[in-house]
Amino acid sequence: MIRENIIAIEEKIQSTCNLSCRKREDVKLIAVSKTKPIEMLQQAYDCGCRDFGENKVQELVDKYDKMPKDIRWHMIGHLQRNKVKYIVDKVYLIHSVDSLRLAEEISKEAAKKNVTVSILIEINVAEETSKFGTTAKEAVSLVEEIAKLPNITVKGLMTIAPYVENPEENRLYFTMLRQIAVDIIHKNIDNVCMKELSMGMTGDYETAITEGATYIRIGTGIFGDRIHAAVK
């Protein structure tokens, strides 16, 4: 099932890139493996997946130790400051930085381990009360403050769009995120690039690609419905 799912998703990514006049290599697929057992991750790995996304620090750390070391781990869930120290030297990219205090903690722990951490700024463009993320209005000033911190590099932006039946309803939010990135680029802030836009999930990733997504985060589309049992 996983192999067939990945093949189908890859075909859709390629066709959407073709329609949008984008290069396939400019869109990276993250297999969102939260709550999934190692066996399922290994199947996705064997199909060529090298980017995996986790929501919880403990689960990421456990899988990091058990899976091949060429995997690029992405922290996509809300990150508590007291958990930062466990992952700064393990993650390829933290997608969910939404405050200066969190960024300061990442900077501090990264300095202790002599690493530089790549991050994305999470923006709640839809202003959903149930979601984390800074506001669109505060995004530029937050980036300017975070850019001053050592051992951190701001690589772009991330958003989690609302759950909708019709993915076209989320086009507005993807367009907004891209425009915020453009506004930040025009500021020419040191230590900041807007190379990455992490947006689009199983239900709306094709729309996100047409609006400039460079990372799409797909869990259910690859692994099936979420498993809530503890990871062994």
Side-chain angles (χ1 to χ4, degrees):
M1 176 193 76
I2 290 175
R3 175 175 291 277
E4 289 77 8
N5 288 346
I6 291 173
I7 290 171
I9 290 166
E10 286 288 347
E11 289 175 349
K12 288 182 179 179
I13 293 172
Q14 184 65 67
S15 63
T16 306
C17 285
N18 291 344
L19 289 171
S20 305
C21 298
R22 298 187 63 192
K23 296 178 181 177
R24 170 63 188 89
E25 58 266 29
D26 291 340
V27 180
K28 298 169 284 290
L29 170 63
I30 297 176
V32 178
S33 47
K34 59 185 181 181
T35 77
K36 302 302 180 185
I38 292 294
E39 293 77 15
M40 294 182 79
L41 272 71
Q42 188 63 52
Q43 288 182 54
Y45 179 90
D46 292 343
C47 293
C49 289
R50 291 298 180 269
D51 292 275
F52 287 82
E54 290 290 334
N55 269 41
K56 296 184 182 298
V57 167
Q58 186 59 57
E59 197 171 347
L60 188 153
V61 171
D62 289 346
K63 290 173 177 176
Y64 178 90
D65 290 335
K66 296 173 183 176
M67 292 292 290
K69 292 301 177 243
D70 62 336
I71 286 175
R72 295 177 290 268
W73 292 100
H74 298 257
M75 181 66 194
I76 60 176
H78 179 62
L79 179 57
Q80 296 174 300
R81 296 195 306 279
N82 64 349
K83 301 287 183 67
V84 167
K85 60 188 174 184
Y86 300 113
I87 63 166
V88 287
D89 57 345
K90 295 179 174 63
V91 289
Y92 179 76
L93 185 63
I94 298 175
H95 291 233
S96 48
V97 178
D98 59 359
S99 71
L100 181 58
R101 291 179 71 192
L102 175 57
E104 288 172 339
E105 188 66 24
I106 294 170
S107 174
K108 183 181 77 173
E109 294 298 334
K112 287 181 182 178
K113 298 193 178 181
N114 195 31
V115 296
T116 297
V117 181
S118 296
I119 68 168
L120 305 181
I121 307 303
E122 180 177 2
I123 304 177
N124 185 356
V125 288
E127 298 183 354
E128 292 184 280
T129 56
S130 60
K131 300 234 176 92
F132 293 100
T134 190
T135 66
K137 291 181 180 179
E138 296 171 344
V140 176
S141 59
L142 178 60
V143 169
E144 288 175 330
E145 289 301 311
I146 290 176
K148 301 172 186 176
L149 299 172
N151 297 82
I152 280 185
T153 301
V154 180
K155 297 285 191 181
L157 307 176
M158 180 268 243
T159 197
I160 301 174
Y163 175 78
V164 292
E165 293 292 335
N166 179 5
E168 279 298 314
E169 294 178 28
N170 280 338
R171 184 176 296 278
L172 167 66
Y173 304 119
F174 300 145
T175 302
M176 287 174 62
L177 194 73
R178 176 164 49 83
Q179 184 56 53
I180 295 168
V182 170
D183 293 342
I184 293 171
I185 289 170
H186 288 161
K187 293 278 187 178
N188 290 316
I189 307 168
D190 288 343
N191 198 33
V192 171
C193 73
M194 287 289 113
K195 179 183 177 184
E196 308 295 359
L197 290 179
S198 173
M199 58 187 192
M201 306 198 310
T202 296
D204 56 17
Y205 68 89
E206 291 168 273
T207 303
I209 291 171
T210 66
E211 292 299 327
T214 64
Y215 278 114
I216 54 174
R217 311 179 303 269
I218 301 183
T220 304
I222 293 175
F223 298 107
D225 292 333
R226 190 178 305 178
I227 299 170
H228 292 282
V231 176
K232 301 297 183 183

